[in-house]
Amino acid sequence: MSVMFRITLPDGSVREVAPGTTPADVAAAIGPGLAKAAIAARIDGEVRDLARPFDGDTSLSLVTMKDERDALELARHDFAHVLAEAVQHLFPGTQITFGPATDDGFYYDFAPKERPFTGEDLPGIEAEMRRIIARDEPFQREVWSREQLIETWQRQGETFKAEWAAELPDSEELTIYRQGQWLDMCRGPHMPSTGRLDPAAFRLTRVSGAYWRGDQNNAMLSRIYGTGWLSKKQLDQHLFRLEEAAKRDHRKIGQEMDLFHLQSEAQGSVFWHPKGFVLWRQLEAYMRRRLDAAGYAEVKTPQLMDARQWEQSGHWGKYRENMFVVPDEVPNIEDEGAVLSGEGDLMALKPMNCPAHVLIFRQGIKSYRDLPIRMAEFGCCHRNEPHGALHGIMRVRQFTQDDAHIFVREDQLIGEVRAFCDLLDSVYKDLGFESYAIKLALRPEKRFGSEAMWDWSEQSLRDAVKATGRDTADYGWEELPGEGAFYAPKLEFHLTDAIGRTWQVGTIQTDTVLPERLDASYVGEDGDRHRPIMLHRAILGTFERFIGILIEHHAGRFPLWLSPVQAVVATIVSDADEYARQVAADLAKAGIRVETDLRNEKINYKVREHSLAKVPVLLVVGKREAEEGTVAVRRLGSQGQEMLSLADVIARLMAEATPPDLI
């Protein structure tokens, strides 16, 4: 009697099948509808091809297009293979390299025979991809030997693939996937055939250069990017989001509103203009009030500390490549000789505030009764980001965190994390964000601490989120293996903005490593020394990036309390200049940030200009308004206007301009 495999289905039922049976066979046995809908199989949690036979007892769930995350990953991988076949058919002699799925699509790197590809090539490649999809070629998986792979690639002139095949680990099963006569070296999985792709659900977007294996010493390749989805509707929604994102680009709006600028003389640092810094100050004042009310004590710590301190904290060994290192010596001022001797001790600009906060904690003896200690700092930090990674004010080298560290006893941890989550929830809603997801980033491969410590820290955060009632699908609860910091796991808070993009901003981390390394302790109720648990936490993350997110979320149309300029008084005729000045003075006295526009320009010109600058309220005055003591109120984005008395205007704007925590 032959051995049978036991296949456990999601409903708990078990089917016995003979060796050689595939998930597709099981789907067909369940029913023709499922057989038609299935695109892949999840075997003991791993996504595999439908046509790959079972290799033992296993659990099985069938993947359909309704399983959007898995389906998108499969479709984008398939689109990449179809792209590569199309390019090689249209441009004979082109070599293939790699083509992974991405967050919103796919790309493939090619070595063209004659010239780099350009955007003009993309329409023809798209048309050829649609012809391949229409052929409905099966994706067929085959296991090959290393020698077979290398010989095939060398015979076909695929030198890049041959090089990669020669370096694959001996322990790895080497596979190729065919679609018709075309093949690629690939781990898979794939959908059953190219015909499962929607030919109207992809778009090739751009071409760029890329080095082979990411090394600038290697050959330059042509990378073709595409975006891929499950349906044309999804593609159209994505393209709309891209169009909206371009309109909301914080760099463009920042220039229109005169908020900030960046320039090469200070790579990765922001030049804040007066209006931009008003926005910063309003946000900082709001956060300071919220922290004061929540029992935080604000501190200020040094920018520059000795390398020995960073060695002790562990940052020197784990994070040094991201730090700006500074020699502690007076530079040579003579024309001859090196500027620096190279013999001075090393210091570093702080990339984070946490070690300095431990040093403050260590000043004086702390009792268990003193805990929790909530220590906050709007700390300016520097990180040595690569030039190519910098992006507007979203990713910079100099930034200010809304940072804080909470030193707690073990029995206080869940309560403090819960209080932090409630505070964060309130702040996000005040700033106009109604939706966010919570994710738990687990231990990375490169880390400090014992496995027992990581087990405890991770479970503590799980328990804390559960205590808040937010470990649910409504909050996008998810665990992310390998994504934690080198010293602690962390909760990440991902905001959803007005056009559906997500931004990871807030975080809280449970750390027992740094208090140990920096010898932080308190006297317990038993009279012995104990290590505090250190909670690293931020709500905004950094002011620079969060302001960039705010700009794009609100498209520059900030709520009145945050707006750099809350109102402009504009005249229709010069006869009203004196009245306009008086209106502005009365508004300023009431605390409204106001400017005047007395230029000899038509009012429609002024309206357009201030609309572009996203001024929320335009107060128009002419001779009649001056005589009657009234103001014509125009709201940003509205075609109409409302005639009000100056007293009513002041009362309304004062109410609207009150920060939400002061209402």
Side-chain angles (χ1 to χ4, degrees):
M1 183 176 179
S2 62
V3 175
M4 302 290 281
F5 295 152
R6 291 172 56 82
I7 309 302
T8 304
L9 300 177
D11 64 1
S13 63
V14 176
R15 291 178 178 249
E16 293 193 343
V17 301
T21 302
T22 68
D25 296 328
V26 174
I30 294 172
L34 184 58
K36 184 178 180 180
I39 56 172
R42 189 171 283 280
I43 305 295
D44 288 339
E46 177 189 356
V47 178
R48 292 188 179 183
D49 307 311
L50 273 179
R52 182 174 172 181
F54 297 109
D55 48 19
D57 296 345
T58 189
S59 65
L60 165 68
S61 60
L62 294 163
V63 178
T64 71
M65 290 293 189
K66 292 181 179 178
D67 302 302
E68 190 167 293
R69 178 178 294 186
D70 289 336
L72 279 170
E73 181 78 16
L74 289 161
R76 288 164 178 166
H77 192 177
D78 292 357
F79 277 127
H81 277 233
V82 172
L83 165 62
E85 180 183 354
V87 168
Q88 288 201 304
H89 181 261
L90 294 174
F91 303 92
T94 296
Q95 293 189 58
I96 54 175
T97 62
F98 297 120
T102 64
D103 288 343
D104 63 2
F106 55 95
Y107 68 79
Y108 210 106
D109 289 347
F110 301 96
K113 183 179 181 181
E114 297 178 354
R115 61 167 177 82
F117 297 128
T118 70
E120 294 178 356
D121 298 318
L122 300 185
I125 297 171
E126 285 185 353
E128 181 62 22
M129 289 176 68
R130 293 189 175 95
R131 284 191 283 271
I132 294 169
I133 291 170
R135 291 205 315 262
D136 196 18
E137 298 280 6
F139 286 103
Q140 297 176 308
R141 179 181 186 269
E142 298 176 15
V143 179
W144 284 19
S145 68
R146 183 188 310 278
E147 293 72 23
Q148 187 180 5
L149 274 173
I150 295 172
E151 189 275 329
T152 297
W153 295 134
Q154 288 176 340
R155 186 178 69 252
Q156 295 182 358
E158 298 282 3
T159 58
F160 296 95
K161 286 288 189 183
E163 176 186 324
W164 188 250
E167 297 179 14
L168 291 171
D170 292 335
S171 58
E172 185 172 336
E173 185 177 59
L174 306 181
T175 56
I176 63 103
Y177 276 81
R178 293 185 184 275
Q179 56 207 53
Q181 296 302 307
W182 188 86
L183 59 86
D184 195 2
M185 186 166 64
C186 176
R187 292 187 179 92
H190 287 274
M191 291 198 286
S193 69
T194 62
R196 293 298 187 98
L197 295 169
D198 184 337
F202 78 94
R203 177 80 58 85
L204 299 184
T205 54
R206 61 190 174 97
V207 180
S208 73
Y211 293 108
W212 166 237
R213 300 173 80 166
D215 187 337
Q216 63 182 359
N217 296 314
N218 290 340
M220 173 65 77
L221 307 173
S222 278
R223 174 173 295 178
I224 297 179
Y225 287 92
T227 184
W229 301 84
L230 302 180
S231 67
K232 185 177 185 301
K233 180 180 178 182
Q234 287 186 341
L235 173 64
D236 289 344
Q237 289 171 339
H238 173 69
L239 295 176
F240 173 77
R241 284 195 298 270
L242 290 181
E243 185 180 342
E244 274 296 303
K247 293 177 184 174
R248 294 166 178 262
D249 190 308
H250 71 280
R251 295 165 296 183
K252 172 177 172 287
I253 293 175
Q255 183 176 12
E256 292 170 350
M257 297 181 68
D258 192 25
L259 302 180
F260 60 83
H261 83 274
L262 302 115
Q263 63 185 71
S264 59
E265 285 81 359
Q267 284 277 2
S269 298
V270 185
F271 292 82
W272 289 99
H273 297 190
K275 290 177 182 176
F277 203 58
V278 167
L279 173 59
W280 177 299
R281 288 173 58 201
Q282 291 304 309
L283 187 61
E284 184 179 56
Y286 165 80
M287 289 303 302
R288 183 169 279 117
R289 291 192 301 270
R290 298 304 307 267
L291 294 178
D292 287 347
Y296 287 79
E298 189 173 346
V299 299
K300 192 70 174 173
T301 58
Q303 286 288 106
L304 199 59
M305 292 201 298
D306 194 289
R308 286 183 286 268
Q309 179 62 43
W310 297 111
E311 287 175 3
Q312 190 176 354
S313 70
H315 292 83
W316 197 252
K318 300 287 186 180
Y319 204 76
R320 186 168 68 244
E321 69 273 16
N322 301 112
M323 298 170 70
F324 285 100
V325 178
V326 181
D328 186 12
E329 64 173 285
V330 177
N332 174 27
I333 61 172
E334 303 297 331
D335 292 337
E336 300 296 325
V339 175
L340 297 170
S341 70
E343 298 176 358
D345 291 337
L346 294 180
M347 305 184 77
L349 289 171
K350 64 177 177 181
M352 51 194 70
N353 304 299
C354 33
H357 288 191
V358 177
L359 297 183
I360 292 178
F361 178 88
R362 285 177 49 189
Q363 296 299 300
I365 298 172
K366 300 296 186 297
S367 163
Y368 70 96
R369 295 187 184 91
D370 298 321
L371 305 184
I373 292 175
R374 305 180 189 95
M375 196 180 299
E377 179 174 9
F378 297 127
C380 180
C381 299
H382 291 78
R383 293 183 188 171
N384 197 355
E385 300 279 3
H387 286 195
L390 303 176
H391 175 67
I393 64 173
M394 297 290 204
R395 187 154 184 192
V396 292
R397 288 174 148 190
Q398 176 185 299
F399 54 89
T400 298
Q401 296 177 313
D402 68 315
D403 202 10
H405 296 90
I406 309 173
F407 298 88
V408 299
R409 305 188 307 264
E410 187 172 332
D411 62 292
Q412 297 170 322
L413 186 142
I414 289 178
E416 285 299 312
V417 175
R418 179 173 186 165
F420 169 76
C421 289
D422 290 342
L423 175 61
L424 172 143
D425 182 272
S426 173
V427 168
Y428 288 170
K429 286 181 169 55
D430 281 351
L431 296 172
F433 297 94
E434 294 298 324
S435 177
Y436 62 89
I438 305 175
K439 303 181 187 298
L440 175 57
L442 304 173
R443 67 196 76 183
E445 184 175 342
K446 186 178 178 181
R447 60 182 182 268
F448 282 132
S450 67
E451 293 305 295
M453 179 279 289
W454 280 92
D455 289 341
W456 179 85
S457 296
E458 290 170 353
Q459 191 58 46
S460 296
L461 290 178
R462 287 189 190 97
D463 292 343
V465 176
K466 185 175 182 179
T468 71
R470 296 184 174 96
D471 59 337
T472 65
D474 290 342
Y475 285 91
W477 173 249
E478 183 182 8
E479 297 194 3
L480 306 174
E483 296 294 317
F486 67 84
Y487 51 84
K490 59 180 177 177
L491 292 177
E492 297 177 351
F493 297 84
H494 296 248
L495 287 179
T496 301
D497 72 8
I499 58 173
R501 299 171 300 179
T502 58
W503 307 88
Q504 197 264 299
V505 283
T507 182
I508 187 166
Q509 305 166 15
T510 306
D511 181 10
T512 60
V513 171
L514 203 58
E516 179 73 32
R517 293 183 68 89
L518 297 183
D519 194 28
S521 66
Y522 67 91
V523 178
E525 193 172 5
D526 57 4
D528 293 335
R529 292 177 69 224
H530 298 268
R531 299 290 183 207
I533 301 162
M534 187 176 183
L535 300 179
H536 305 247
R537 49 110 296 177
I539 295 175
L540 306 183
T542 75
F543 276 82
E544 288 81 358
R545 184 165 178 267
F546 200 88
I547 289 173
I549 294 168
L550 277 173
I551 291 170
E552 298 199 2
H553 175 63
H554 292 289
R557 299 182 176 192
F558 301 111
L560 198 63
W561 70 276
L562 275 176
S563 295
V565 177
Q566 294 171 323
V568 167
V569 184
T571 54
I572 301 173
V573 293
S574 59
D575 289 351
D577 286 0
E578 188 56 39
Y579 179 60
R581 293 188 186 96
Q582 185 58 52
V583 169
D586 289 350
L587 286 165
K589 189 175 180 180
I592 303 300
R593 295 185 289 276
V594 61
E595 294 180 351
T596 58
D597 186 347
L598 311 181
R599 294 174 299 167
N600 186 24
E601 300 283 358
K602 292 182 178 180
I603 190 61
N604 287 340
Y605 176 86
K606 295 181 180 182
V607 169
R608 285 194 300 272
E609 192 169 84
H610 294 301
S611 294
L612 184 65
K614 307 297 189 297
V615 176
V617 181
L618 188 61
L619 305 176
V620 179
V621 297
K623 188 173 181 180
R624 176 184 166 190
E625 286 78 13
E627 291 171 351
E628 297 178 355
T630 58
V631 177
V633 181
R634 288 173 175 258
R635 298 280 182 167
L636 181 62
S638 173
Q639 298 300 315
Q641 64 182 34
E642 184 179 13
M643 193 67 68
L644 296 172
S645 70
L646 178 55
D648 284 344
V649 169
I650 292 174
R652 288 192 185 188
L653 294 186
M654 285 179 64
E656 289 182 41
T658 302
D661 62 306
L662 299 179
I663 295 174

